[in-house]
Amino acid sequence: MKRFAILSLIIFSISLTIYAQDKRSPNSYSIIKETTTEVFCTSSTEYTSIEKRIISVTNERGKDAINFVVTCDKFREMKSFSGTIVDNQGNIIKKIKKNDLKKTEYSNEMASDDYYYYYDYIPIKYPITITYEWEMKIKKGYLSFPTFAPQQDYNQTVERAYYKLTTPKEITPLIHLANIPEGNISKKENQENNTIEIELLNLQPVIEETYAPPIKERIPHAFIIPAKFHFDGSNGKQSSWTELGKWQYELLEGRDILPPALLEEVLKITADCTTPLEKVKAIYDFLGRTTRYVSIQLGIGGLQPASATDVYRTGFGDCKALTNYTRAMLASIGIPSYYTVISTEDVTMIREFSSVNQGNHVILQVPMINDTLWLECTNPKLPLGYVHQSIAGHDAMVVKPSGGEIHTLPNYPDSLNKQIISAHIEINPKEETKIQVNMISHAFQYEDKFGMEKLPPNKLKDVFLNSLDLGRANITNIEYHELKKSYPESTYSYTINTSQYGRKTGKRLFLPINIFHRNFAVPNNNSERTQPIQIEYGYMDTDSITIRIPEGYEIEYIPESKSENNIFGNYTFEIKLQDSIIHIVTTLLVKRGTYPKELFSDLIAFRKTIKRLYDTEIVLKQKE
């Protein structure tokens, strides 16, 4: 992967060709027969793209490839569209005009310039081939050119993909290539324009695999941006993260002015605070009490936050506005903080290729004397200083007057993402078994259960029941406690009453070792592994269970204690009998990481061992 700058005095073209052995694969649900994108850039504010896509869909599993959708806004307009659907013999089923497209201005955002054209089609039979041709006009500036990513889904073959970008020589495109061999790149000079051409042939389908990197990391793609831009009346550079950060900082200027009433409120709520940390907490709590999140994508392409005054007046804002609002309040009491752009989807930012579209979220960095706080202003109900799963360990651009700086957020060690379950089981062979449960969750496991306490009682009971390896059961006496801190903790305690704990056969009782991991999964191994193993979520579960042996019964079989350590994690299983009580302690540590594909069978074996352990039974029999 590499960035290629096209200097204003150097004109060249890039041609890429990738060949594979076969044009099609039995694993193809859809086939991109041809996809072409030709971009004609006329200035720093305008370009036109003409696109064509021909897709053959072989069966119902590939039907999503049929759908057409484009996003428009005040910068992007669809000038023309046409389409044709034909059957397997080439007979025309339908011709599609622009008027046949559906248009919607519905958006997940409360305020947005976006609207969509889309077309859905459900075939009566397969295979079918559909052709789309359309033209887009971009005006008022742009931050990037169309991305080249012809493969969009699993089990999709691409026979030919072609991309061409032509720009005036005063425009300097920057390109980042991924999963495209550099050896197939050539440079040619042209007297009038800068030209980039990419052609891919016979791309084989990407097969979906358990514990594999996401598809966007596996498909060939290219990002292309202008080194300098004029966007919505604002000028900037993205030739480096420093330059991009300077432009972002300019968008914040003048938007941190606090109205007198708010300044008075800030001074009041921090008056009794004795440390900077206490002041930050007071501001963060005030944010949570007085604002709410609403997604708003207006103002310089949805990149400029609403002013602090507007947030105070309305009581709401998006991630940009709420972060800037918090930054302004902290600045008013002498605490510096920094607006920070991050992605909730991608862990890493491309260090050598700075671009606006690598971030989709904004948080706040607050440097302290002994630590750095990362505030999630979008959801101040989260504990102060807690770094949640969608940003933990991610790269981020911290925006300062001197420009952007790439920082990596902290992540919690796997062993701290822990859940501790304590359960005492009183068995009554003739009536219901009673189980007292106490469950303590930390860090990511705390976050997985965040907000559960607000569910209606019947819904909360269903959550617990769905995690238990039991038939019918009744959940009662639910209690909840939470410790809000940078390493947060939540505790649920509840009672289970069930007549289906274990099973009785004649004079024997078969009792499960552990009922708390019903959803523990083991991947299958039906095909040859092609991708590295990627475990994104590391955690530790500890279950301490006591089972009182009922009167008139004795142990016939009890499993042995055991343990195992390997590259994917470790477990320990300890069991002992004391008086008439069986004590069981099971600890499982799963390690986050990326591992060679050749170890996939080892991963399956490890998880099978854990599954068998959780499913193990103790056998009791009636005394003679």
Side-chain angles (χ1 to χ4, degrees), residues 203-266:
L203 295 177
Q204 294 301 288
V206 176
I207 307 304
E208 187 171 13
E209 296 178 330
T210 307
Y211 294 113
I215 188 171
K216 61 185 176 181
E217 295 180 12
R218 300 162 60 183
I219 58 173
H221 59 276
F223 300 133
I224 308 172
I225 61 174
K228 298 179 181 179
F229 57 83
H230 181 81
F231 184 65
D232 205 13
S234 174
N235 295 315
K237 300 177 183 178
Q238 50 187 346
S239 54
S240 69
W241 289 107
T242 299
E243 294 294 342
L244 186 58
K246 287 179 181 178
W247 175 72
Q248 182 66 73
Y249 188 81
E250 291 175 1
L251 299 186
L252 305 178
E253 291 182 347
R255 294 180 173 262
D256 56 354
I257 308 301
L258 301 188
L262 176 56
L263 181 57
E264 181 179 346
E265 185 73 21
V266 169

Side-chain angles (χ1 to χ4, degrees), residues 432 465 468 470-475 496-500:
E432 288 190 326
L465 286 172
L468 299 174
L470 286 174
R472 290 184 299 174
N474 186 31
I475 305 286
I496 305 170
N497 291 284
T498 178
S499 59
Q500 296 187 2

Side-chain angles (χ1 to χ4, degrees), residues 548-614:
R548 182 178 294 278
I549 300 174
E551 289 287 337
Y553 281 82
E554 61 185 0
I555 292 177
E556 182 178 65
Y557 169 77
I558 190 169
E560 295 181 355
S561 298
K562 60 181 70 175
S563 64
E564 180 180 343
N565 293 300
N566 68 29
I567 191 172
F568 300 109
N570 57 64
Y571 74 87
T572 59
F573 169 67
E574 298 177 352
I575 187 166
K576 62 182 180 179
L577 178 64
Q578 187 175 7
D579 298 329
S580 60
I581 297 178
I582 303 169
H583 297 265
I584 303 165
V585 178
T586 304
T587 300
L588 170 64
L589 173 66
V590 172
K591 298 179 182 178
R592 178 181 68 249
T594 301
Y595 308 92
K597 65 180 182 180
E598 290 77 14
L599 298 180
F600 191 60
S601 59
D602 294 340
L603 173 63
I604 292 175
F606 177 65
R607 294 189 69 87
K608 279 184 177 179
T609 299
I610 305 303
K611 178 68 172 174
R612 284 195 297 266
L613 179 64
Y614 286 149

